[in-house]
Amino acid sequence: YRTAPWRDWCSSVLPRPATQAGYVAADFVGYSLRAGFLTAAACSGVSIFKMREVSRHKAMQVLADYVHDAELFRDHVGGRLL
């Protein structure tokens, strides 16, 4: 079993700048970065097919699992109370 190149990059490169910036390095893992990127793309209206080109997911369902509810806080009733 060989890990994906981005996992190697995340585990070897990411901890140092995260720590230097005052964050907990363990909070910055490949999944959270990928999920954040794909969720931001979905919020911006990017086609799921374009997102798939970048993420290189083979299965659409796996890609969909990475996209958190992009509409969760859009027009949220509590937004006007803050």
Side-chain angles (χ1 to χ4, degrees), residues 9-50:
W9 180 85
C10 286
S11 63
S12 65
V13 175
L14 217 49
R16 185 174 174 203
T19 304
Q20 288 174 337
Y23 295 102
V24 177
D27 290 343
F28 291 86
V29 294
Y31 174 83
S32 63
L33 293 173
R34 198 176 222 197
F37 172 78
L38 292 171
T39 300
C43 286
S44 297
V46 174
S47 158
I48 194 163
F49 299 106
K50 288 291 187 185

Side-chain angles (χ1 to χ4, degrees), residues 43-72:
C43 286
S44 297
V46 174
S47 158
I48 194 163
F49 299 106
K50 288 291 187 185
M51 292 164 50
R52 186 178 181 188
E53 286 178 20
V54 174
S55 69
R56 299 183 345 194
H57 281 99
K58 293 178 184 167
M60 283 292 200
Q61 183 56 51
V62 176
L63 170 61
D65 290 343
Y66 272 88
V67 178
H68 298 163
D69 190 354
E71 299 291 320
L72 187 62

